[in-house]
């Protein structure tokens, strides 16, 4: 990635303050000793700030011989001959064990940040079994598991069959467009199966599943075998939220949304610390970000609007299973290009359809649709040609997806064309993290709801109001917020707003931070320059490591 002058100028105009981190949030890596055994330690990348905290959240030690023995018992093998870490994500590590007789097994061990203990693993195992046996989806068979660390392994684990085929993200770019269209049609079939079972229970509960649609023998099997809840989404359990009674059950999607807002109001009032340094010091924050009153005022506005803006269509509000990480890294295809396995069901949940269901991440809905190349294509430069070819191929894939969805999965098509559907999804995504992430986009959604209120199908007036002065201040901030988004978009694939860089992009990320530091220094003089120089010297230390 080239460090072009365009976004360096963005940094100069809008980011002089970003490197000026407060005492206590400085990104200098800690030198405290941490066990760096690659079996247990995160090795796929680095964090340029808050690294110790991030690594500790992803460190999981366990007893390797006991895990090997448990794997042997699961498949009737005598001895494990090979044990290797084959992958890791934000929340889990995966290991391949090969036995003396040639059998292979995958062991998945969750990180400490994966979610609530016991519930997270038990829910994933049940969901995988449900998806495999009830929905007939290509999911690895679970061979053994433990939802507690009170075992010889001293960790929770899931042992499963190894996924067959190749990960889709490894081959996607090289596939011909016709083959990609075939895979997109298969995605539609998977989504249709996921949405085929509707639960009468609320969004999540702690009770036997009650099913409202499907063949009677399937309904009987589900209701006698499975329970719904409690919800295991991580944001419901972070920090002191784990001690709060906001984990379900909920009787409706409206009650679910109200619960999330009330949870955050209670957490902010009881635990938010305005003096705590930002843990992501370079992420944009508006002037109200550290004001508990500003957060609760917006959350109260949202609460008043929920009864009016929640979808009314019974199908759209019905809870149905969804895989929120249905991306190319979690999908395997066989030699014929057909989906052979879907993995990582840890985050799957029974969601109100209008909130949780989304088109595949393989589709870029940010493009302008273009179904064929322009007549002057051959005369264009190579960069423009590449952009146009991408635009056309994505347009064809989106058209294929929507055409197939209309035919085979009308409920999903209804979700995609629900009025204000994207605004409602964004509200649900933002409402539970205004303090930990950013308040501005939540306020943006609420302003949009008020401005478009007459289109929500109610005769009642909007129950809240933003004054002209509040909207003026918000609009003034919009430019800075949008520039921040532009910067992070430019850095996509190199550095995230949490400071993460892969091993391959780490050097480039450090180089970029150094350039940003120089930009900041060039805009300051006197004591401000000396202070900024002192407080950002850790960037130079990163360069020297």
């Amino acid at each position: 990635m080239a460090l072009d002058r365009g976004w360096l100028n963005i940094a100069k105009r809008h980011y002089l303050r970003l490197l000026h981190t407060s005492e206590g949030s400085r990104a200098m890596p800690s030198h405290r000793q941490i066990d760096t055994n690659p079996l247990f330690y995160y090795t796929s990348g680095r964090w340029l700030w808050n690294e110790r905290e991030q690594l500790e959240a992803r460190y999981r030690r366990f007893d390797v011989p006991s895990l090997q023995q448990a794997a042997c018992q699961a498949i009737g093998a005598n001895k494990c001959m090979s044990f290797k870490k084959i992958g890791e994500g934000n929340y889990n590590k995966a290991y391949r064990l090969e036995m003396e007789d040639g059998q292979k097994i995958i062991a998945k061990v969750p990180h400490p940040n994966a979610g609530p203990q016991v519930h997270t693993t038990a829910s994933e195992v049940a969901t995988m079994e449900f998806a495999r046996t009830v929905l007939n989806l290509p999911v690895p068979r679970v061979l053994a598991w433990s939802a507690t660390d009170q075992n010889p392994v001293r960790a929770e684990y899931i042992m499963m069959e190894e996924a067959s085929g190749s990960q889709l993200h490894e081959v996607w770019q090289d596939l011909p467009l016709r083959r990609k269209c075939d895979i997109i049609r298969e995605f539609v079939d998977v989504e249709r199966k996921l949405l085929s079972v509707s639960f009468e229970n609320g969004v999540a509960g702690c009770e036997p599943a009650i099913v409202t649609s499907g063949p009677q023998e399937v309904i009987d099997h589900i209701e006698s075998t499975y329970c719904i809840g409690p919800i295991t989404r991580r944001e419901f359990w972070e920090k002191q939220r784990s001690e709060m009674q906001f984990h379900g059950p909920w009787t409706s999607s409206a009650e679910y949304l109200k619960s999330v807002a009330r949870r955050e109001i209670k957490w902010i009032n009881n635990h938010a610390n305005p003096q705590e340094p930002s843990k992501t010091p370079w992420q944009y924050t508006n002037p109200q970000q550290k004001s508990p009153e500003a957060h609760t005022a917006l959350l109260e506005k949202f609460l008043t609007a929920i009864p009016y803006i929640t979808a009314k269509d019974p199908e759209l509000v019905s809870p149905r299973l969804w895989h929120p990480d249905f991306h190319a890294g979690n999908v395997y295809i066989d030699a014929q290009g057909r989906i052979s396995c879907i993995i990582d069901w840890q985050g799957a949940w029974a969601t109100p359809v209008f909130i949780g269901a989304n088109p595949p991440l393989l589709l870029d809905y940010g493009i302008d649709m273009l179904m064929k190349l322009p007549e002057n294509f051959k005369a264009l430069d190579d960069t423009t040609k590449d952009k146009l070819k991408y635009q056309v191929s994505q347009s064809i894939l989106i058209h294929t997806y929507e055409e197939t969805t209309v035919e085979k999965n009308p409920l999903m098509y209804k979700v995609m064309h629900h009025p204000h559907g994207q605004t409602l999804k964004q509200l649900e995504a933002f409402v539970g993290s205004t303090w930990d992430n950013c308040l501005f986009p939540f306020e943006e959604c609420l302003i949009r709801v008020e401005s478009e209120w007459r289109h929500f199908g109610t005769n009642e007036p909007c129950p809240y109001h933003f004054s002209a002065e509040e909207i003026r201040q918000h609009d003034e901030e919009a430019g800075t917020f949008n520039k921040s988004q532009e910067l992070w978009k430019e850095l996509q694939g190199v550095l995230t707003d949490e400071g993460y860089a892969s091993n391959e992009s780490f050097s480039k990320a450090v180089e970029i931070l150094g350039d940003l530091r120089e930009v900041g220094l060039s805009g300051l003089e006197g004591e401000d320059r000396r202070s900024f120089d002192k407080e950002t010297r850790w960037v130079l230390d990163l360069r020297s490591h």
Side-chain angles (χ1 to χ4, degrees):
M1 169 182 172
L3 187 64
D4 63 62
R5 181 55 50 183
W7 69 262
L8 272 180
N9 288 335
I10 292 173
K12 189 166 184 176
R13 291 197 303 271
H14 300 284
Y15 284 86
L16 296 183
R17 65 182 179 84
L18 292 184
L19 283 164
H20 201 286
T21 60
S22 59
E23 190 68 33
S25 67
R26 196 167 298 159
M28 177 74 76
S30 168
H31 295 292
R32 193 178 87 180
Q33 290 296 317
I34 300 177
D35 177 8
T36 57
N37 184 327
L39 285 177
F40 314 127
Y41 183 79
Y42 188 88
T43 58
S44 298
R46 295 282 307 277
W47 282 265
L48 279 68
W49 53 86
N50 302 321
E51 182 166 58
R52 185 183 69 187
E53 178 183 351
Q54 298 283 10
L55 290 173
E56 288 179 346
R58 294 162 178 80
Y59 174 82
R60 172 67 77 192
R61 189 174 186 86
F62 55 89
D63 187 80
V64 174
S66 293
L67 186 69
Q68 293 173 314
Q69 184 177 3
C72 288
Q73 291 175 348
I75 56 177
N78 293 322
K79 186 177 182 181
C80 177
M81 302 298 294
S82 172
F83 180 81
K84 181 181 180 181
K85 185 172 77 173
I86 60 170
E88 59 191 344
N90 273 328
Y91 308 108
N92 304 275
K93 288 180 175 60
Y95 305 86
R96 179 187 290 114
L97 295 86
E98 187 168 353
M99 306 306 171
E100 189 176 34
D101 59 3
Q103 294 187 79
K104 295 177 183 178
I105 187 172
I106 300 299
K108 182 177 179 181
V109 178
H111 294 158
N113 64 351
Q117 291 185 352
V118 179
H119 294 308
T120 297
T121 298
S123 176
E124 182 174 7
V125 170
T127 302
M128 290 176 68
E129 185 68 7
F130 180 87
R132 187 178 68 85
T133 63
V134 176
L135 302 182
N136 294 315
L137 290 173
V139 177
R141 185 164 60 96
V142 174
L143 304 170
W145 59 284
S146 175
T148 173
D149 58 7
Q150 301 303 303
N151 57 52
V153 178
R154 299 205 299 273
E156 298 174 48
Y157 62 83
I158 301 174
M159 305 220 181
M160 65 189 83
E161 297 172 326
E162 183 170 20
S164 59
S166 302
Q167 282 182 289
L168 182 56
H169 75 88
E170 294 179 347
V171 300
W172 180 254
Q173 295 300 328
D174 298 326
L175 293 175
L177 183 58
R178 184 181 299 276
R179 183 70 60 84
K180 289 181 179 179
C181 288
D182 290 340
I183 292 172
I184 290 298
R185 293 187 185 96
E186 286 198 73
F187 269 62
V188 173
D189 193 52
V190 171
E191 292 177 348
R192 177 187 62 79
K193 290 179 178 179
L194 285 171
L195 298 181
S196 65
V197 175
S198 173
F199 300 97
E200 184 178 295
N201 311 61
V203 178
C206 308
E207 54 199 25
I210 302 174
V211 184
T212 60
S213 63
Q216 189 58 49
E217 64 273 15
V218 174
I219 292 176
D220 292 341
H221 171 69
I222 295 172
E223 293 186 347
S224 64
T225 308
Y226 296 96
C227 289
I228 301 293
I231 196 165
T232 59
R233 296 182 71 188
R234 298 172 191 94
E235 56 266 35
F236 282 82
W237 301 85
E238 290 178 339
K239 301 176 181 177
Q240 298 86 354
R241 295 174 185 85
S242 62
E243 303 162 7
M244 298 178 177
Q245 301 302 312
F246 290 98
H247 306 132
W250 299 285
T251 58
S252 67
S253 55
E255 286 302 315
Y256 163 74
L257 292 172
K258 290 177 183 178
S259 179
V260 176
R262 289 169 180 152
R263 181 197 75 203
E264 288 305 291
I265 290 172
K266 182 175 180 180
W267 185 89
I268 290 168
N269 287 337
N270 293 341
H271 303 289
N273 178 10
Q275 306 304 317
E276 183 181 12
S278 172
K279 291 189 176 181
T280 307
W282 290 14
Q283 190 174 32
Y284 170 80
T285 56
N286 71 4
Q288 300 299 312
Q289 184 66 38
K290 291 296 185 179
S291 166
E293 294 77 16
H295 287 261
T296 55
L298 290 179
L299 290 166
E300 292 287 0
K301 281 183 167 67
F302 176 62
L303 275 170
T304 63
I306 288 172
Y308 305 102
I309 65 177
T310 304
K312 304 301 187 294
D313 187 318
E315 278 194 317
L316 291 177
V317 299
S318 61
R320 304 186 187 219
L321 183 65
W322 193 254
H323 190 313
D325 291 323
F326 192 34
H327 56 72
N330 287 333
V331 177
Y332 287 70
I333 62 170
D334 59 24
Q336 289 71 45
R338 296 185 63 82
I339 293 178
S340 57
C341 196
I342 303 168
I343 64 169
D344 197 3
W345 291 84
Q346 190 177 76
W349 65 304
T351 170
V353 181
F354 79 98
I355 290 175
N358 288 290
L361 294 174
L362 281 168
L363 303 178
D364 183 0
Y365 271 88
I367 64 162
D368 293 324
M369 293 289 282
L370 182 68
M371 297 301 291
K372 64 179 183 178
L373 296 171
E375 293 181 0
N376 66 336
F377 178 76
K378 292 183 178 179
L380 301 174
D381 61 83
D382 289 342
T383 300
T384 304
K385 284 182 178 178
D386 288 342
K387 289 181 179 178
L388 286 172
K389 285 193 287 187
Y390 173 80
Q391 191 175 351
V392 169
S393 64
Q394 277 292 320
S395 298
I396 292 172
L397 291 174
I398 290 171
H399 177 75
T400 299
Y401 174 75
E402 296 198 350
E403 187 178 58
T404 311
T405 297
V406 168
E407 177 187 352
K408 294 188 174 181
N409 193 13
L411 175 55
M412 185 63 185
Y413 192 77
K414 187 188 291 189
V415 170
M416 294 166 58
H417 293 271
H418 176 60
H420 310 285
Q422 203 56 37
T423 297
L424 295 174
K425 290 176 185 293
Q426 290 172 347
L427 280 169
E428 192 272 340
F430 298 146
V431 67
S433 59
T434 63
W435 188 269
D436 294 326
N437 291 327
C438 189
L439 183 63
F440 182 87
F442 182 57
E443 183 178 57
E444 170 72 21
C445 286
L446 290 174
I447 291 174
R448 192 187 314 150
V449 166
E450 184 187 6
S451 68
E452 299 174 356
W453 186 257
R454 65 184 182 278
H455 300 301
F456 277 92
T458 176
N459 294 323
E460 298 293 327
C462 183
Y464 63 83
H465 178 64
F466 286 95
S467 68
E469 176 61 18
E470 288 173 322
I471 293 177
R472 185 193 66 77
Q473 292 177 358
H474 180 85
D475 289 344
E476 282 185 358
E477 290 177 51
T480 306
F481 177 80
N482 290 336
K483 291 298 183 183
S484 77
Q485 300 301 101
E486 288 178 32
L487 178 64
W488 291 114
K489 186 175 181 179
E490 288 286 343
L491 295 176
Q492 189 172 1
V494 178
L495 181 66
T496 73
D497 58 4
E498 290 188 335
Y500 177 79
S502 68
N503 294 327
E504 294 75 21
S505 64
F506 179 77
S507 296
K508 172 61 72 176
V510 171
E511 177 187 341
I512 289 170
L513 293 194
D515 289 338
L516 284 175
R517 180 178 186 271
E518 294 304 316
V519 170
L521 287 170
S522 69
L524 298 171
E525 296 179 351
E527 183 57 36
D528 285 342
R529 180 184 172 87
R530 284 190 291 273
S531 176
F532 185 85
D533 177 60
K534 179 181 178 181
E535 295 191 10
T536 60
R537 279 190 178 276
W538 57 267
V539 176
L540 302 181
D541 293 334
L542 283 173
R543 278 181 162 176
S544 66
H545 276 70

